[in-house]
Amino acid sequence: MDRSSSTRIKILPPEVANKIAAGEVVERPASVVKELVENSIDADANEITIILNQGGKDLIQVVDDGVGMNAEDLKLAFQRHATSKIQQAADLEGITTLGFRGEALASIASVSRIEARSIERGQISGTLLILEGGRLMEEKPTGGPPGTSIAVKTLFFNTPARRKFLRADSTEYRHCLTTANRFALAYPEKSFTLVHHGEVIWEVRSQPLKERICEILGRRLEKLLIEVNEDAGAVQIEGYVGTQDTVRRQSGEQFLFLNGRYIYDRSLHHAIVSAYGEILAHGGYPLYVLHLSIDPTRVDVNVHPTKMEVKFADDRLIYSLVRGAIKRALASAKVIPDLQAPGSSFPDQPAATWLKSNWQSSSGPASQPAVDSGGSARQGTPIQPVDLYAPPESTQGQQPLPFQEEKSPETEPVPFTPAGGESAPTMNTQANVWQLHNRYILTQIDSGLIIIDQHVAHERILYEKALRLFEEARPSTQKILFPRMIELSAEDYDILQEILPFLEKLGFMIQDFGKHTVVVEGIPAGTRIKNYTTLLQEMIDDYRRGKRNNLEIRDNIARSYACHTAIRSGDPLNIHEMNALIEQLFKTETPYFCPHGRPVLVNISLEELDKRFGRT
Ligand SMILES: Nc1ncnc2c1ncn2[C@@H]1O[C@H](COP(=O)(O)OP(=O)(O)OP(=O)(O)O)[C@@H](O)[C@H]1O
Ligand SMILES: [Mg+2]
């Protein structure tokens, strides 16, 4: 090659450069929908119509009532790097518009035929342009209402290889619909219409976000949305997360918006999902529609060709703020699976507080000594340990549950009497608590009735207690009178070694006896364990299973322990046991779901009962 005659490196002609850029921005019809609607929103449009034919392969037209463009600007708009949104590099530091690269229209135009028409606000006439492959073919005046309409016809007509790669119309249509849905959910204050093959798919007018969600994603969600609204300083979080009933095996109803832009952020998705805790123990995707507002100078949106991924300056902080906000929202009473009458709502207080105060005001005074199976004071008042199974003296006539053989001094039962204050009234334990079929506990609260599943409730209590015990220095153990020798398989023995430090924290005393044999000498204080061998075996099996599912070790053991040592469905409980159970339940952090995600309680309001009896 003759190097002197010409350079090897050449600047590409604009048509080629645009086509290459189009490869990044325009992947399929849905990408065109995204770019055009973004432009309409940046142009301050309030009404946006999206018209599609053949899944957008044939036609994608976006009509808006935005500020419009004059003839010069309309022509410039199709030039590469032509933008009205930023002027200098420094502007990139705090982008407040959806577009800023001045690339989208040039890229789209380079791979399609375009009919663009725009009339500036306040004018009655404007310009119509016809472009083909990015080249201006025709320009003429036009009239009509102000705004802009960009019609993109036969996408990829001049890049046959890419046109061939488009999927079936129905698939492309689905992608367009997803994109359109995102805008509708991102801007509930704007009106949108989506039309496919002349049929109006949906048409939405300015409305509150909750209503918008129901219109776009379905009326079934009406009762399943929990509001999130927190100003956490670095980030404002607004929107809705779904209850357990919105959890799906597949993703698709997760919408996260940052400063009005739909984003996909794996870490924030994780923050949201992890806030559900064990409700999602078995995986799945809860619905969410969340709007985050963050100072634009703390976010870089210029890291991905379609701007779908962003970079946060304070990513860890944002992660924990989002997670915290969702957790708090979920802890609100609305998460309780209930039989509420349509339209009735829970109070705004955090659920645990609400339930507690409601319950106490019906069945006993709020100054009742706090009862806690774990013995750790978490709510300011000194909490004494109490054995759920140990009936106070006054109930000796009743049938106590069979329980531990021997007690260590720390686990002496504390009778249910007030903590010494003279004015403290006694608890009205006779009233308002019933056991149904030795399985459910019914209790009256101010607003109606709560039904508690005794097994899952106890499971929840023990689970949280176990997690606390892991953090404590001194386990509380009750020695057993007749130590039990257990022979394990080599594999089980191995697993036992792995979990032994945790079992000891819980209060188990297990000695190695050699040859895969161990001796159980003590068990957690205050528990009732019928068969140590079975319990150990079950916990080993659960641990193995949980490990396969990547459960965190403590969580894994705590769940298993709670599940196998909780009172059973079928165990009769006396009134004191029931009261203790309820007290302890309301002290847990998440009283509504057991560690496996099953509901602990159901709330039926008076309103609902009245309705059923035809009183309203
Ligand atoms: N619907 C519209 N109404 C009014 N002006 C528009 C409209 N669409 C595009 N424009 C103008 O055309 C310019 C170019 O649009 P284009 O989408 O190519 O680039 P951008 O939005 O500035 O940046 P990006 O490439 O990141 O989208 C915009 O900056 C805007 O001034
Ligand atoms: Mg744009």
Side-chain angles (χ1 to χ4, degrees), residues 149-425:
S149 157
I150 311 268
V152 177
K153 298 172 179 175
T154 33
L155 186 65
F156 300 139
F157 81 100
N158 54 354
T159 49
R162 300 197 60 197
R163 187 155 176 94
K164 226 170 67 195
F165 271 105
L166 290 178
R167 309 292 292 272
D169 292 2
S170 56
T171 310
E172 295 302 340
Y173 164 69
R174 259 205 324 277
H175 285 283
C176 292
L177 177 64
T178 302
T179 303
N181 283 349
R182 287 174 188 162
F183 283 110
L185 293 170
Y187 296 92
E189 72 283 4
K190 296 190 188 295
S191 302
F192 292 90
T193 309
L194 176 66
V195 180
H196 189 212
H197 286 293
E199 184 197 342
V200 176
I201 305 296
W202 46 242
E203 186 175 6
V204 285
R205 302 282 139 230
S206 172
Q207 60 199 153
L209 178 61
K210 189 174 181 182
E211 279 170 38
R212 179 62 58 92
I213 294 172
C214 295
E215 283 218 28
I216 297 294
L217 301 177
R219 285 271 150 224
R220 77 185 162 93
L221 296 172
E222 216 153 7
K223 298 268 170 324
L224 309 178
L225 298 173
I226 301 154
E227 189 176 6
V228 185
N229 191 347
E230 266 199 36
D231 184 345
V235 55
Q236 279 93 59
I237 308 154
E238 266 178 275
Y240 292 86
V241 290
T243 63
Q244 197 185 26
D245 295 334
T246 67
V247 176
R248 295 256 190 107
R249 288 271 129 236
Q250 252 123 51
S251 63
E253 291 185 327
Q254 291 70 43
F255 298 88
L256 186 61
F257 303 102
L258 171 68
N259 298 343
R261 183 192 304 281
Y262 173 85
I263 58 163
Y264 173 73
D265 190 287
R266 193 184 281 266
S267 153
L268 283 181
H269 173 73
H270 186 269
I272 297 162
V273 167
S274 71
Y276 279 77
E278 53 272 12
I279 298 175
L280 291 179
H282 303 294
Y285 298 84
L287 172 139
Y288 56 81
V289 180
L290 291 170
H291 290 251
L292 309 186
S293 310
I294 296 179
D295 175 353
T297 62
R298 310 295 295 164
V299 192
D300 189 356
V301 291
N302 195 18
V303 293
H304 189 262
T306 64
K307 308 172 189 120
M308 208 113 100
E309 287 169 27
V310 299
K311 233 164 89 184
F312 299 99
D314 325 280
D315 52 353
R316 285 184 177 201
L317 175 68
I318 306 290
Y319 178 98
S320 66
L321 292 176
V322 168
R323 184 166 188 263
I326 309 303
K327 257 187 140 169
R328 275 184 290 281
L330 290 172
S332 81
K334 292 177 187 171
V335 193
I336 313 175
D338 68 20
L339 305 177
Q340 284 268 308
S344 67
S345 62
F346 281 93
D348 286 338
Q349 288 158 279
T353 322
W354 175 75
L355 277 173
K356 215 172 141 201
S357 56
N358 270 269
W359 181 69
Q360 282 174 332
S361 63
S362 318
S363 61
S367 55
Q368 178 67 20
V371 181
D372 188 281
S373 61
S376 70
R378 288 189 297 128
Q379 300 191 352
T381 38
I383 293 171
Q384 290 174 292
V386 68
D387 183 345
L388 182 57
Y389 298 103
E393 265 144 39
S394 62
T395 63
Q396 268 167 2
Q398 297 181 31
Q399 188 68 312
L401 280 166
F403 59 103
Q404 60 266 45
E405 290 94 320
E406 196 182 296
K407 266 194 189 15
S408 66
E410 314 84 92
T411 60
E412 268 324 310
V414 174
F416 291 98
T417 50
E422 270 165 57
S423 57

Side-chain angles (χ1 to χ4, degrees), residues 39 43 64 69 77 82-85 99-105 307:
N39 282 346
D64 68 47
M69 287 171 271
T83 179
S84 57
K85 298 170 193 175
F100 54 85
R101 294 180 186 162
E103 256 183 8
L105 287 184
K307 308 172 189 120

